[in-house]
């Protein structure tokens, strides 16, 4: 696969810094997958996989309880917004297959603004009798996507920004606009949607109790080198994060991703291909304000679950 990054093969002193977003290139997405795998034990992805699967079962049960006989044959419609490499959708299908949950013909739609993320998602195989589509879209307008034209008020289940990525929506109107898209798509009465906040981005709580953020999660305290499994000879170095800066409700961290290419049989990093400064700015929330934003869009919280590094909120239409 070709990469914009590989066109510059200068020496280390000559390689320019390229200001991409976090997930704009295939190399960045590959590094993200490796980084997640590196911290998999600490993150405990099984916790949110179990939570999301239980939520899908509840949504399906609620729909069957409210539906007519003809509706029972309508396939389950599931959206993941901010799908990234599609892990949550893959987990849902794997868990449904293992539990014998009847999801034959289900429509799974993963939405992300990053084409590189969607390419990564499409590279994984999902085993099961389901339809899967990976669609490029924006969080604040995704209900208007042509692929969703026939699904207004028909989405049974949604996962919104797993990993607390809703905090990337830093402009004042963006969170409310995103929740308005959910309101337009969710099935009345039975539709359910999970959204989460990272615990470090919750300034105060009114609905849940304070959770301590694990030490490992606060920031990269040292450089991390990761070896690509997808691209022969490619290694990544993530530099330790700058100290966290907080201004009003914004939290900012910076790091740099360097991409190297060398011999797969040697341990040295190899030739520097590119350096990508990454500026991560996140919006922090008062929990009461978060609830108000959700309710202002015509949704309500029916359950809140506190995890080690995220707090999860289950939503349905008012």
């Amino acid at each position: 696969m070709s990469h914009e990054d590989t066109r510059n093969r200068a020496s280390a002193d000559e390689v320019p810094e390229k200001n991409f977003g976090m997930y704009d290139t295939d190399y960045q997405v590959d590094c993200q997958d490796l980084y997640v795998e590196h911290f998999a034990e600490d993150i405990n992805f099984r916790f949110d996989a179990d939570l999301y699967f239980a939520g899908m079962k509840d949504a399906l049960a609620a729909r069957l309880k409210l539906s007519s006989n003809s509706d029972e044959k309508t396939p389950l419609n599931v959206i993941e917004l901010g799908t990234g490499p599609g892990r949550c959708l893959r987990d849902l299908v794997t868990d449904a297959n293992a539990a014998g949950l009847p999801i034959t013909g289900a429509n799974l739609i993963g939405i992300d603004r990053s084409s590189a993320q969607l390419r990564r998602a499409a590279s994984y195989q999902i085993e099961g009798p389901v339809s899967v589509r990976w669609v490029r879209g924006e969080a604040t307008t995704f209900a208007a996507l042509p692929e969703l034209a026939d699904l207004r008020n028909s989405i049974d289940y949604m996962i919104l920004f797993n990993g607390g990525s809703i905090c990337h929506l830093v402009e004042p109107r963006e969170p409310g606009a995103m929740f308005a898209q959910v309101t337009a798509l969710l099935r009345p009465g039975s539709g359910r949607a999970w959204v989460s906040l990272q615990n470090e981005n919750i300034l105060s709580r009114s609905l849940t109790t304070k959770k301590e953020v694990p030490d490992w999660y606060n920031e990269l305290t040292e450089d991390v080198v990761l070896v690509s499994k997808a691209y022969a000879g490619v290694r990544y170095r993530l530099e330790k994060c700058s100290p966290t800066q907080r201004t009003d409700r914004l939290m900012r961290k910076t790091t740099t991703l360097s991409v190297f290419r060398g011999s797969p049989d040697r341990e040295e990093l190899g030739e520097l291909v590119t350096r990508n400064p990454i500026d991560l700015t996140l919006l922090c929330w008062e929990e009461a304000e978060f609830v108000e934003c959700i309710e202002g869009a015509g949704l309500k919280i029916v359950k809140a679950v506190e995890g080690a590094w995220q707090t999860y909120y289950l939503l349905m239409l008012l």
Side-chain angles (χ1 to χ4, degrees), residues 189-227:
S190 61
R192 302 289 188 271
W194 281 108
V195 65
S196 64
L197 293 174
Q198 294 181 12
N199 290 330
E200 68 171 345
N201 297 127
I202 301 177
L203 298 173
S204 67
R205 294 178 182 258
S206 58
L207 187 64
T208 58
T209 56
K210 182 179 179 182
K211 298 289 289 186
E212 295 296 329
V213 178
D215 291 339
W216 64 268
Y217 183 74
N218 286 325
E219 56 192 35
L220 279 174
T221 55
E222 59 184 21
D223 293 358
V224 174
V225 174
L226 302 166
V227 180

Side-chain angles (χ1 to χ4, degrees), residues 149-164:
D150 297 328
L151 294 175
R152 294 181 80 85
N153 302 125
S154 299
I155 300 300
D156 297 290
Y157 192 54
M158 303 178 74
I159 298 173
L160 310 170
F161 289 121
N162 173 56

Side-chain angles (χ1 to χ4, degrees), residues 9 35 38 44 67 86 90 150 167 192 209 218 227 237 241 257 262 272 290 306:
R9 293 185 168 255
Y35 181 78
H38 182 74
N44 183 16
S67 66
R90 294 197 305 275
D150 297 328
C167 293
R192 302 289 188 271
T209 56
N218 286 325
V227 180
R237 183 178 66 205
C241 286
L257 168 63
L272 178 63
F290 190 59
E306 298 161 45

Side-chain angles (χ1 to χ4, degrees), residues 15 22 35 43 45 52 54 74 85 92-93 105 109 121 131 142 146-147 165 167 206 221 226 236 244 249 266 274 290:
V15 172
M22 283 190 68
Y35 181 78
I43 296 174
F45 286 119
Y52 292 149
T74 303
L92 286 178
V93 176
I109 304 170
S131 167
F142 71 96
E147 292 85 353
S165 302
C167 293
S206 58
T221 55
L226 302 166
Y236 307 105
T244 299
R249 293 178 55 200
R266 298 182 180 178
T274 187
F290 190 59

Side-chain angles (χ1 to χ4, degrees), residues 38-104:
H38 182 74
F39 284 109
E41 241 180 71
D42 296 307
I43 296 174
N44 183 16
F45 286 119
R46 193 64 250 170
F47 178 86
D48 68 19
D50 290 341
L51 189 71
Y52 292 149
F53 180 57
M56 187 172 74
K57 287 195 297 183
D58 290 345
L60 180 57
R63 195 185 86 173
L64 292 176
K65 184 176 180 180
L66 295 173
S67 66
S68 65
N69 290 335
S70 59
D71 289 337
E72 291 180 12
K73 297 180 181 179
T74 303
L76 192 69
N77 296 315
V78 180
I79 286 177
E80 184 186 9
L81 177 65
T83 191
R87 177 185 63 85
C88 291
L89 292 183
R90 294 197 305 275
D91 285 345
L92 286 178
V93 176
T94 299
D95 291 345
N97 290 339
L101 191 70
I103 62 166
T104 297

